[in-house]
């Protein structure tokens, strides 16, 4: 398993298990690696991920940025902002256990944006998470 996959798995599992996330994304929470065709709204799906080595003298480190995409039918954008705030609160500075021989050093929500989709029937929220991951 890669550090990137271990981090994404931990983030999505944490979100899916959180009662506040379940309150806005359903129970079970509609949190996906990739949204299935016909997924009910609202839902959250993993998106772009970028990694760069950040090795130190005595540590094998990776800086990883994971983008989460929230899709809602909220044309006014307020509901989407509320949902994005709930999701951010769950992952920002979260202490998560990673599988595969990796340790999460830090996790911060560093960017959020909400905008309308091209057809104006959907709202799209984006949350970018920056993590520092160490190989143990």
């Amino acid at each position: 398993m890669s550090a990137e996959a271990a981090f994404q798995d931990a983030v999505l599992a944490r979100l899916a298990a959180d009662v506040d996330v379940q309150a806005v994304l359903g129970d079970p929470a509609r949190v996906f690696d990739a949204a299935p065709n016909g997924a009910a709204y609202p839902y959250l799906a993993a998106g772009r991920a970028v990694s760069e080595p950040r090795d130190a003298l005595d540590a094998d480190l990776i800086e990883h940025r994971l983008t989460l995409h929230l899709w809602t039918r909220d044309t006014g954008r307020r509901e989407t902002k509320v949902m994005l705030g709930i999701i951010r609160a769950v992952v920002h500075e979260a202490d998560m256990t990673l599988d595969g021989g990796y340790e999460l050093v830090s996790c911060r929500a560093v960017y959020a944006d909400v905008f309308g989709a091209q057809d104006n029937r959907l709202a799209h929220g984006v949350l970018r998470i920056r993590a520092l991951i160490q190989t143990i």
Side-chain angles (χ1 to χ4, degrees):
M1 174 179 294
S2 69
E4 295 86 354
F7 177 67
Q8 178 177 308
D9 290 350
V11 167
L12 296 183
R14 182 178 187 95
L15 288 166
D18 186 85
V19 295
D20 292 331
V21 172
Q22 291 170 0
V24 295
L25 296 182
D27 185 10
R30 291 179 296 276
V31 174
F32 306 111
D33 171 45
N37 288 336
Y41 295 100
Y43 68 83
L44 184 82
R48 183 173 185 212
V50 178
S51 294
E52 298 176 27
R54 293 286 184 242
D55 295 339
L57 286 175
D58 58 352
D60 183 13
L61 300 170
I62 295 172
E63 178 182 318
H64 183 62
R65 291 176 302 280
L66 174 64
T67 302
L68 301 175
H69 295 271
L70 174 65
W71 292 95
T72 73
R73 288 203 181 275
D74 173 36
T75 57
R77 317 286 189 279
R78 185 182 187 288
E79 178 186 3
T80 307
K81 291 173 185 174
V82 169
M83 289 181 193
L84 206 57
I86 291 167
I87 293 163
R88 177 184 21 233
V90 172
V91 297
H92 184 70
E93 296 187 352
D95 183 19
M96 293 179 272
T97 301
L98 305 185
D99 291 333
Y102 301 102
E103 180 179 348
L104 184 60
V105 176
S106 68
C107 180
R108 299 187 53 85
V110 295
Y111 172 85
D113 195 3
V114 174
F115 45 92
Q118 193 170 16
D119 67 3
N120 282 328
R121 290 184 289 177
L122 299 175
H124 183 187
V126 174
L127 181 67
R128 188 161 303 124
I129 307 165
R130 179 189 169 272
L132 193 59
I133 303 166
Q134 181 175 0
T135 302
I136 52 175

